[in-house]
Amino acid sequence: MRRLEDSLENAAVNHDLIIPASLPLLPVRDVVVFPYMILPLFVGREKSVAAVEAALAGDRLIMLAAQKEFGEEEPGTEDIYTVGTVAMIMRMLKMPDGRVKILVQGLAKARLAGYVAEDPYFRVSVERIEEPPLAPTLEIEALMRTVRNQLSQAVSLGKGISPEVLVVVENMEDAGSLADVVASNIGLKVAEAQEVIEIIDPLARLRRVKDILARELELLAMQADIQTQAKEEMGKSQREYFLREQLRAIQSELGDADPRAQDVAELREKLEKAGLPKEAREEADKQLRRLETMHAESAEYSMQRTYLDWLVELPWKKTTRDNLNLVKAHEVLDEDHYNLEKIKERILEFLAVRKLKKDMKGPILCFVGPPGVGKTSLGKSIARALGRKFVRISLGGMRDEAEIRGHRRTYVGALPGRIIQGLKQAGTNNPVFMLDEIDKLGMDFRGDPSSALLEVLDPEQNHAFSDHYINLAFDLSNVMFIATANIMDPVPSALKDRMEVIRLSGYTAEEKLHIAERYLIPRQREANGLKTGQIRFSRAALLRLITEYTAEAGLRNLEREIGGICRKAARRFAEGRQKTSVQVSESAVERYLGPPRFLPEEERAEHEVGVATGLAWTEVGGDVLYVEVNTMKGKGGLTLTGHLGEVMKESAQAALSYARSRAEELGIDPTFFETHDIHVHVPAGAIPKDGPSAGVTMAVALISALTKRPVSKDVAMTGELTLRGKVLPIGGLKEKVLAAVRHHVGTVLLPWRNEKDLEDIPTHLRKKVRLIAVRTMDDVLKAALVEMP
């Protein structure tokens, strides 16, 4: 305190101080030195040490100026502020590491007028800054009182300012000196302190200090509020803790049970009944002991409790007893679904083996077929026939591996995967578990769910399936997994290899008719509030619905259309306009649903040259397509139209190559191909078409156009063609034969290797069409081309 008072008492002397024209310059890093300040400085840079030594060798005066950047090790002339303070070195002490510690006292403000020398130290010419005199006014007095009050408030709010500063400030009468003393003691940043020291007018400087102090007071008040709030919250939690401990002690004295101990006892009892395997039981006991040592209000306690709840609620030993009455199971399957004999036979085989071998593993099936053929509902029917619980999860669009395997318990909000969740939902360890839309699994940065399913769907591994959350082996070998897919192409080969694929073809019109009568009409009648007998559909009406209002392999749209007619009938009854039963005839369908939406391809009226009938398979079933070929004068070009895919274009190229290679045998002029252009067109140009099975059809149409021999209108064909004229097998034979029957085609040519697939076609359909197996293109031409008279 004495030092600051001495410094202020010397202020008058400082006014008379004679400052030399040039002085050594000491750039200061992290502080702005104001007049009247006494502070120690550590000097370590060579130039700075040299400046200090030069000042000590003379009159001990040195110019102190702040450098603009703290981290600049070798500041240049442009890196140093031009306004600083002339100071006197009062003491100097050399440190063992070569640095120098000096004690300086600020004497007067000065401006750097220029640099006299830069080596071995900065020497600058100095101009003293004289402040304008101030006459005492009320404003100055008010400002000084305000600054003093603000400084006192800052100290009361925790600002670290020496008490001696407050005493000195109270006795100061000069506005400029007050501003400098306050600015030098409130811990301003270098840029802000430099801004203050550069204000020459004492009144303006005092106003600036007042503004800085006002902002500092706001910050200090806010900081105090935050600290108070934190202390209150801490005090509240401590108080609650002590109260709970007192409550626990009181309950113990009264003989009441501790809620936490009650929780643990309840969990231990559940673990006894859960029938956990030895390894799982050891882990559960370990986690239970950890739970006993935790505070009931901690976040980890609830996480631990949730984990133990999952362990006790999983069906480790709970098994549903299978219904091994094969006759009853067959009745249930027949009751729920029409036809589908292969699947029903497979389920009955499983039951038969299960009856003979109690510990057999659950099968892993995959139903593949177009939308709406009943894959998902078949899974429910199988569960009902077996007497098992049914669980379904949709895999469509799933991209996160954790959906299958679960999250690790270290994550906030972690849960087991969908497999473990499904088993908990079922409450047994042998449900029928349906994995719907397995072909629509995704994959991204969160992992590949299809790879996670490899363990689930492998009978050699799934007896010890490990979920990341449970982190214990769970036996899935008793579960009957049924996956469904529309197509198998997107399913990874490793996953495909683990499943027994059963294909469901589309339904024939006759099958749809039976299903509509037995299942769809009763279901829609009940769904729309109609009683039995209030609406009746004729068979002709249903057939028209099937052929002209839907174009699908499955039954969804057919049921939708039946529902639409039922709703219109329900409205008539509700409005009182209908008293008797509604009879839906073939002609009435158009009145209820409007004009037909799907008209079949027009049948060919006569044998034509260059037009062949092909059979195609689409996602909604089979269809016929016509291939047209025209020849015209030209230069041997081939034009393909009709929205054809790459494979279909290649089939056309292969057909042309075959025709050119067999030109002489077929009676085609070899020069014809150089002098004529060929145009191949497949009508319905807006519909994309692709696949190799149109190769034979294109070749027949092409050879017919080149030889001028007509193609029989009663023959439809399918098959892939090689350049050697061999006919290769194709897929979707049943759907293609169905399409041929719908279009009243009498003969179907099919690859001889597809003869094995004929058993999938119902006997009554095979009787309606003549099926000819062909090996080579010669067999095709013999059956398809009409003999010239």
Side-chain angles (χ1 to χ4, degrees):
M1 182 172 173
R2 191 66 243 163
R3 283 182 180 174
L4 185 58
E5 288 175 346
D6 292 345
S7 177
L8 291 168
E9 284 171 5
N10 293 333
V13 179
N14 293 344
H15 282 294
D16 302 327
L17 177 70
I18 299 172
I19 299 175
S22 68
L23 286 173
L25 171 67
L26 176 61
V28 185
R29 278 181 198 263
D30 55 351
V31 67
V32 173
V33 180
F34 284 82
Y36 321 124
M37 281 181 70
I38 298 176
L39 77 162
L41 295 174
F42 286 92
V43 183
R45 293 181 288 205
E46 289 184 12
K47 274 191 175 184
S48 299
V49 172
V52 169
E53 288 174 348
L56 290 171
D59 51 11
R60 304 176 76 87
L61 294 180
I62 191 166
M63 179 69 181
L64 302 177
Q67 65 183 57
K68 296 176 182 177
E69 294 294 333
F70 174 81
E72 187 66 52
E73 285 296 326
E74 297 293 335
T77 56
E78 69 283 353
D79 300 323
I80 302 170
Y81 288 109
T82 56
V83 175
T85 301
V86 175
M88 177 174 286
I89 302 174
M90 300 171 68
R91 291 198 192 117
M92 191 266 292
L93 176 66
K94 288 194 174 182
M95 311 291 285
D97 57 0
R99 291 187 303 162
V100 172
K101 181 181 179 182
I102 60 175
L103 184 70
V104 296
Q105 177 185 357
L107 299 178
K109 290 183 190 177
R111 182 178 285 105
L112 275 66
Y115 284 82
V116 177
E118 294 184 23
D119 280 317
Y121 57 88
F122 287 120
R123 191 169 188 89
V124 294
S125 56
V126 177
E127 293 177 358
R128 181 168 182 164
I129 297 174
E130 296 290 348
E131 293 185 359
L134 282 179
T137 63
L138 289 175
E139 183 189 2
I140 294 173
E141 182 64 27
L143 269 175
M144 292 177 72
R145 284 188 186 182
T146 301
V147 169
R148 291 188 190 105
N149 290 336
Q150 285 176 325
L151 196 64
S152 299
Q153 288 176 33
V155 171
S156 66
L157 288 172
K159 187 73 175 174
I161 297 174
S162 172
E164 70 177 20
V165 174
L166 293 176
V167 174
V168 170
V169 164
E170 284 297 328
N171 296 316
M172 292 186 73
E173 300 296 335
D174 182 59
S177 301
L178 177 64
D180 289 341
V181 170
V182 172
S184 64
N185 283 281
I186 57 175
L188 297 180
K189 293 180 181 177
V190 170
E192 207 166 22
Q194 186 67 33
E195 180 193 346
V196 172
I197 201 173
E198 289 182 3
I199 299 172
I200 307 303
D201 181 15
L203 189 58
R205 191 158 72 247
L206 192 60
R207 285 198 189 102
R208 179 63 185 141
V209 170
K210 175 185 74 70
D211 294 341
I212 292 172
L213 274 172
R215 187 198 63 193
E216 187 70 19
L217 283 173
E218 286 182 15
L219 290 172
L220 288 168
M222 192 176 296
Q223 185 178 347
D225 287 345
I226 292 169
Q227 288 175 347
T228 304
Q229 189 178 351
K231 284 179 181 176
E232 284 176 359
E233 289 178 1
M234 192 181 300
K236 183 181 176 184
S237 62
Q238 287 176 342
R239 183 168 171 271
E240 287 177 357
Y241 173 75
F242 287 127
L243 286 173
R244 284 197 191 92
E245 291 300 321
Q246 286 174 353
L247 181 62
R248 193 171 289 115
I250 292 166
Q251 286 173 336
S252 177
E253 287 291 328
L254 293 173
D256 293 344
D258 180 3
R260 184 173 60 180
Q262 200 170 350
D263 250 8
V264 172
E266 187 181 324
L267 279 170
R268 186 170 281 113
E269 186 181 345
K270 286 182 179 178
L271 284 171
E272 293 291 342
K273 295 177 182 177
L276 276 69
K278 183 182 176 184
E279 182 187 348
R281 183 57 198 268
E282 288 173 359
E283 177 67 18
D285 288 339
K286 176 183 169 185
Q287 299 299 334
L288 196 60
R289 286 194 296 273
R290 284 188 62 197
L291 188 72
E292 284 181 296
T293 63
M294 291 179 188
H295 193 281
E297 300 302 318
S298 68
E300 196 176 351
Y301 181 89
S302 62
M303 289 170 60
Q304 195 76 1
R305 173 65 199 267
T306 305
Y307 174 68
L308 286 166
D309 281 340
W310 273 99
L311 285 188
V312 299
E313 289 174 18
L314 282 178
W316 299 91
K317 295 294 182 186
K318 294 178 186 174
T319 305
T320 308
R321 187 173 179 182
D322 284 339
N323 168 29
L324 300 178
N325 185 335
L326 273 66
V327 176
K328 180 67 176 172
H330 200 175
E331 286 175 4
V332 171
L333 291 170
D334 283 342
E335 184 183 327
D336 289 349
H337 287 82
Y338 177 79
N339 204 348
L340 303 177
E341 294 303 328
K342 273 193 174 181
I343 296 176
K344 292 176 183 177
E345 187 178 341
R346 178 66 183 87
I347 301 307
L348 294 172
E349 286 171 1
F350 164 71
L351 280 177
V353 177
R354 183 82 175 78
K355 194 171 185 177
L356 300 175
K357 183 177 171 59
K358 301 295 181 188
D359 59 345
M360 73 167 292
K361 294 175 180 176
I364 294 167
L365 309 177
C366 183
F367 296 159
V368 182
V373 295
K375 300 184 293 294
T376 306
S377 63
L378 190 58
K380 293 180 184 176
S381 178
I382 290 168
R384 195 163 79 89
L386 295 175
R388 293 189 178 192
K389 298 282 188 178
F390 177 75
V391 180
R392 173 189 167 273
I393 63 170
S394 177
L395 301 178
M398 190 181 287
R399 294 175 175 272
D400 190 352
E401 179 200 353
E403 290 279 355
I404 304 296
R405 286 191 175 277
H407 299 86
R408 300 196 184 278
R409 295 204 306 277
T410 51
Y411 293 104
V412 175
L415 279 175
R418 301 286 286 278
I419 303 297
I420 294 296
Q421 287 183 38
L423 290 169
K424 180 190 172 187
Q425 175 192 338
T428 65
N429 63 10
N430 66 335
V432 172
F433 209 115
M434 176 151 279
L435 304 169
D436 230 353
E437 311 291 358
I438 200 169
D439 55 330
K440 295 174 182 63
L441 277 172
M443 175 180 141
D444 64 10
F445 64 93
R446 291 168 292 188
D448 181 4
S450 62
S451 299
L453 282 174
L454 294 178
E455 182 186 3
V456 176
L457 299 181
D458 190 341
E460 298 303 318
Q461 299 178 36
N462 67 9
H463 65 276
F465 170 70
S466 178
D467 182 276
H468 286 155
Y469 181 83
I470 301 298
N471 203 27
L472 293 167
F474 193 94
D475 187 2
L476 299 179
S477 61
N478 294 323
V479 179
M480 183 176 189
F481 285 103
I482 301 176
T484 71
N486 296 131
I487 49 175
M488 288 302 285
D489 296 345
V491 180
S493 55
L495 191 56
K496 201 183 302 180
D497 184 56
R498 284 164 163 77
M499 300 183 291
E500 180 183 340
V501 176
I502 299 176
R503 298 190 179 273
L504 284 76
S505 301
Y507 294 106
T508 66
E510 288 79 6
E511 288 171 338
K512 287 183 179 181
L513 186 65
H514 285 294
I515 293 169
E517 289 177 335
R518 285 179 56 178
Y519 304 103
L520 306 185
I521 293 174
R523 189 157 64 201
Q524 284 302 316
R525 189 172 57 216
E526 183 182 347
N528 289 286
L530 296 172
K531 296 176 183 175
T532 306
Q534 282 189 314
I535 186 168
R536 297 183 187 280
F537 288 80
S538 69
R539 285 203 148 202
L542 287 174
L543 279 171
R544 190 175 185 194
L545 275 177
I546 291 163
T547 55
E548 296 183 11
Y549 287 84
T550 63
E552 57 178 347
L555 298 157
R556 285 203 183 102
N557 284 324
L558 177 58
E559 185 170 4
R560 211 168 280 133
E561 300 298 343
I562 291 170
I565 294 175
C566 287
R567 285 195 302 275
K568 286 178 170 54
R571 182 183 172 187
R572 292 170 70 95
F573 280 108
E575 291 175 348
R577 292 187 289 126
Q578 187 77 29
K579 302 298 182 184
T580 59
S581 173
V582 174
Q583 304 292 329
V584 183
S585 62
E586 184 179 4
S587 58
V589 171
E590 191 165 343
R591 189 170 72 248
Y592 283 113
L593 300 177
R597 299 185 185 89
F598 302 96
L599 293 174
E601 287 281 352
E602 192 176 321
E603 296 171 24
R604 291 170 58 195
E606 55 186 19
H607 309 314
E608 294 178 72
V609 173
V611 181
T613 306
L615 297 172
W617 181 86
T618 67
E619 285 191 359
V620 295
D623 201 0
V624 299
L625 57 85
Y626 298 115
V627 177
E628 301 175 344
V629 177
N630 265 352
T631 60
M632 59 215 83
K633 291 286 185 181
K635 297 182 180 179
L638 174 65
T639 304
L640 304 170
T641 56
H643 207 157
L644 308 183
E646 289 300 321
V647 176
M648 210 161 179
K649 289 178 182 178
E650 290 170 2
S651 296
Q653 295 281 359
L656 179 60
S657 297
Y658 172 77
R660 293 184 68 172
S661 68
R662 299 286 306 277
E664 291 184 15
E665 298 172 41
L666 295 170
I668 303 169
D669 181 4
T671 62
F672 183 88
F673 298 100
E674 284 79 29
T675 58
H676 289 76
D677 286 344
I678 298 170
H679 187 161
V680 178
H681 177 65
V682 184
I687 302 171
K689 311 170 192 75
D690 204 6
S693 61
V696 166
T697 313
M698 287 185 164
V700 169
L702 190 62
I703 292 168
S704 167
L706 297 174
T707 60
K708 305 301 180 186
R709 289 177 62 188
V711 182
S712 172
K713 66 182 177 65
D714 295 322
V715 175
M717 61 208 75
T718 182
E720 183 178 355
L721 179 66
T722 70
L723 292 176
R724 300 289 183 271
K726 293 181 180 177
V727 180
L728 300 182
I730 45 80
L733 183 65
K734 179 182 176 183
E735 286 81 0
K736 292 177 179 178
V737 172
L738 288 174
V741 172
R742 280 203 308 272
H743 289 79
H744 309 292
V745 175
T747 303
V748 173
L749 307 183
L750 57 105
W752 67 277
R753 288 190 189 172
N754 282 113
E755 281 186 294
K756 60 181 175 29
D757 300 322
L758 292 177
E759 65 179 36
D760 295 336
I761 301 172
T763 307
H764 70 276
L765 279 181
R766 277 186 269 174
K767 291 178 180 177
K768 291 184 178 181
V769 66
R770 182 181 171 215
L771 299 167
I772 300 176
V774 292
R775 288 175 178 267
T776 64
M777 197 62 204
D778 292 336
D779 299 335
V780 175
L781 295 174
K782 184 177 178 182
L785 296 181
V786 176
E787 292 295 331
M788 300 295 285

Tab-separated table of all heavy atoms in Angstrom, residues 645-667:
chain	number	residue	atom	x	y	z
A	645	GLY	N	-35.191	-54.126	-72.855
A	645	GLY	CA	-34.003	-54.085	-72.011
A	645	GLY	C	-32.796	-54.636	-72.741
A	645	GLY	O	-32.897	-55.176	-73.863
A	646	GLU	N	-31.607	-54.510	-72.113
A	646	GLU	CA	-30.364	-54.943	-72.762
A	646	GLU	C	-30.376	-56.426	-73.105
A	646	GLU	O	-29.941	-56.828	-74.171
A	646	GLU	CB	-29.169	-54.622	-71.848
A	646	GLU	CG	-28.850	-53.141	-71.731
A	646	GLU	CD	-28.502	-52.520	-73.074
A	646	GLU	OE1	-27.809	-53.177	-73.873
A	646	GLU	OE2	-28.965	-51.395	-73.339
A	647	VAL	N	-30.881	-57.258	-72.181
A	647	VAL	CA	-30.878	-58.711	-72.415
A	647	VAL	C	-31.774	-59.063	-73.595
A	647	VAL	O	-31.437	-59.896	-74.437
A	647	VAL	CB	-31.333	-59.461	-71.141
A	647	VAL	CG1	-31.418	-60.957	-71.396
A	647	VAL	CG2	-30.379	-59.174	-69.997
A	648	MET	N	-32.920	-58.388	-73.691
A	648	MET	CA	-33.856	-58.663	-74.781
A	648	MET	C	-33.266	-58.204	-76.116
A	648	MET	O	-33.460	-58.856	-77.152
A	648	MET	CB	-35.184	-57.961	-74.511
A	648	MET	CG	-36.364	-58.695	-75.101
A	648	MET	SD	-37.882	-58.163	-74.317
A	648	MET	CE	-39.057	-59.175	-75.222
A	649	LYS	N	-32.538	-57.091	-76.118
A	649	LYS	CA	-31.875	-56.636	-77.348
A	649	LYS	C	-30.822	-57.648	-77.804
A	649	LYS	O	-30.683	-57.924	-78.998
A	649	LYS	CB	-31.222	-55.275	-77.113
A	649	LYS	CG	-32.223	-54.131	-76.967
A	649	LYS	CD	-31.510	-52.824	-76.683
A	649	LYS	CE	-32.506	-51.682	-76.492
A	649	LYS	NZ	-31.826	-50.407	-76.155
A	650	GLU	N	-30.098	-58.194	-76.811
A	650	GLU	CA	-29.081	-59.199	-77.148
A	650	GLU	C	-29.734	-60.462	-77.700
A	650	GLU	O	-29.184	-61.127	-78.581
A	650	GLU	CB	-28.245	-59.514	-75.912
A	650	GLU	CG	-27.328	-58.363	-75.504
A	650	GLU	CD	-26.671	-58.572	-74.149
A	650	GLU	OE1	-26.916	-59.640	-73.555
A	650	GLU	OE2	-25.944	-57.667	-73.699
A	651	SER	N	-30.928	-60.807	-77.177
A	651	SER	CA	-31.658	-61.973	-77.704
A	651	SER	C	-32.011	-61.765	-79.173
A	651	SER	O	-31.933	-62.694	-79.989
A	651	SER	CB	-32.936	-62.208	-76.890
A	651	SER	OG	-32.621	-62.528	-75.562
A	652	ALA	N	-32.408	-60.531	-79.540
A	652	ALA	CA	-32.729	-60.224	-80.934
A	652	ALA	C	-31.487	-60.345	-81.807
A	652	ALA	O	-31.544	-60.889	-82.938
A	652	ALA	CB	-33.319	-58.822	-81.032
A	653	GLN	N	-30.336	-59.877	-81.323
A	653	GLN	CA	-29.086	-60.002	-82.073
A	653	GLN	C	-28.728	-61.474	-82.279
A	653	GLN	O	-28.301	-61.882	-83.362
A	653	GLN	CB	-27.953	-59.297	-81.312
A	653	GLN	CG	-28.104	-57.793	-81.171
A	653	GLN	CD	-27.699	-57.041	-82.433
A	653	GLN	OE1	-27.292	-57.649	-83.417
A	653	GLN	NE2	-27.848	-55.719	-82.395
A	654	ALA	N	-28.912	-62.278	-81.205
A	654	ALA	CA	-28.604	-63.711	-81.301
A	654	ALA	C	-29.529	-64.389	-82.303
A	654	ALA	O	-29.091	-65.268	-83.082
A	654	ALA	CB	-28.740	-64.361	-79.925
A	655	ALA	N	-30.828	-64.022	-82.325
A	655	ALA	CA	-31.783	-64.605	-83.267
A	655	ALA	C	-31.388	-64.279	-84.705
A	655	ALA	O	-31.443	-65.140	-85.603
A	655	ALA	CB	-33.189	-64.089	-82.969
A	656	LEU	N	-30.945	-63.029	-84.958
A	656	LEU	CA	-30.527	-62.638	-86.308
A	656	LEU	C	-29.271	-63.395	-86.719
A	656	LEU	O	-29.160	-63.877	-87.866
A	656	LEU	CB	-30.273	-61.123	-86.336
A	656	LEU	CG	-29.799	-60.555	-87.683
A	656	LEU	CD1	-30.824	-60.821	-88.775
A	656	LEU	CD2	-29.542	-59.051	-87.570
A	657	SER	N	-28.317	-63.530	-85.789
A	657	SER	CA	-27.087	-64.278	-86.105
A	657	SER	C	-27.421	-65.726	-86.445
A	657	SER	O	-26.833	-66.312	-87.368
A	657	SER	CB	-26.116	-64.233	-84.923
A	657	SER	OG	-25.713	-62.913	-84.675
A	658	TYR	N	-28.356	-66.335	-85.694
A	658	TYR	CA	-28.747	-67.716	-85.980
A	658	TYR	C	-29.367	-67.808	-87.377
A	658	TYR	O	-29.039	-68.708	-88.164
A	658	TYR	CB	-29.739	-68.212	-84.931
A	658	TYR	CG	-30.346	-69.564	-85.275
A	658	TYR	CD1	-29.617	-70.734	-85.099
A	658	TYR	CD2	-31.623	-69.649	-85.814
A	658	TYR	CE1	-30.156	-71.965	-85.447
A	658	TYR	CE2	-32.169	-70.876	-86.164
A	658	TYR	CZ	-31.436	-72.036	-85.981
A	658	TYR	OH	-31.972	-73.248	-86.325
A	659	ALA	N	-30.269	-66.865	-87.712
A	659	ALA	CA	-30.932	-66.893	-89.026
A	659	ALA	C	-29.918	-66.733	-90.149
A	659	ALA	O	-30.000	-67.429	-91.186
A	659	ALA	CB	-31.984	-65.789	-89.093
A	660	ARG	N	-28.929	-65.858	-89.986
A	660	ARG	CA	-27.919	-65.664	-91.035
A	660	ARG	C	-27.045	-66.906	-91.193
A	660	ARG	O	-26.674	-67.278	-92.313
A	660	ARG	CB	-27.058	-64.454	-90.691
A	660	ARG	CG	-27.827	-63.140	-90.733
A	660	ARG	CD	-26.948	-61.941	-90.476
A	660	ARG	NE	-26.009	-61.742	-91.581
A	660	ARG	CZ	-25.221	-60.671	-91.689
A	660	ARG	NH1	-25.280	-59.724	-90.763
A	660	ARG	NH2	-24.392	-60.552	-92.703
A	661	SER	N	-26.739	-67.548	-90.063
A	661	SER	CA	-25.875	-68.741	-90.152
A	661	SER	C	-26.594	-69.921	-90.802
A	661	SER	O	-25.952	-70.813	-91.352
A	661	SER	CB	-25.372	-69.123	-88.759
A	661	SER	OG	-26.451	-69.584	-87.954
A	662	ARG	N	-27.927	-69.934	-90.736
A	662	ARG	CA	-28.706	-71.044	-91.316
A	662	ARG	C	-29.447	-70.613	-92.575
A	662	ARG	O	-30.449	-71.226	-92.958
A	662	ARG	CB	-29.724	-71.531	-90.283
A	662	ARG	CG	-29.133	-72.071	-88.991
A	662	ARG	CD	-28.510	-73.443	-89.169
A	662	ARG	NE	-29.438	-74.404	-89.747
A	662	ARG	CZ	-30.334	-75.081	-89.046
A	662	ARG	NH1	-30.418	-74.888	-87.740
A	662	ARG	NH2	-31.142	-75.939	-89.645
A	663	ALA	N	-28.975	-69.546	-93.223
A	663	ALA	CA	-29.713	-68.957	-94.349
A	663	ALA	C	-29.966	-69.965	-95.466
A	663	ALA	O	-31.096	-70.101	-95.970
A	663	ALA	CB	-28.956	-67.744	-94.883
A	664	GLU	N	-28.945	-70.707	-95.854
A	664	GLU	CA	-29.113	-71.636	-96.974
A	664	GLU	C	-30.112	-72.739	-96.632
A	664	GLU	O	-30.997	-73.074	-97.424
A	664	GLU	CB	-27.764	-72.236	-97.356
A	664	GLU	CG	-26.822	-71.220	-97.995
A	664	GLU	CD	-25.521	-71.884	-98.457
A	664	GLU	OE1	-25.487	-73.130	-98.535
A	664	GLU	OE2	-24.549	-71.162	-98.728
A	665	GLU	N	-29.988	-73.318	-95.428
A	665	GLU	CA	-30.887	-74.400	-95.029
A	665	GLU	C	-32.330	-73.920	-94.919
A	665	GLU	O	-33.276	-74.673	-95.168
A	665	GLU	CB	-30.449	-74.981	-93.681
A	665	GLU	CG	-29.050	-75.598	-93.743
A	665	GLU	CD	-28.563	-75.993	-92.354
A	665	GLU	OE1	-29.371	-76.522	-91.585
A	665	GLU	OE2	-27.382	-75.751	-92.059
A	666	LEU	N	-32.497	-72.668	-94.553
A	666	LEU	CA	-33.855	-72.137	-94.374
A	666	LEU	C	-34.420	-71.581	-95.678
A	666	LEU	O	-35.566	-71.137	-95.717
A	666	LEU	CB	-33.855	-71.035	-93.308
A	666	LEU	CG	-33.499	-71.475	-91.890
A	666	LEU	CD1	-33.294	-70.264	-90.976
A	666	LEU	CD2	-34.609	-72.358	-91.318
A	667	GLY	N	-33.615	-71.585	-96.732
A	667	GLY	CA	-34.091	-71.087	-98.019
A	667	GLY	C	-34.101	-69.580	-98.106
A	667	GLY	O	-34.959	-69.000	-98.786
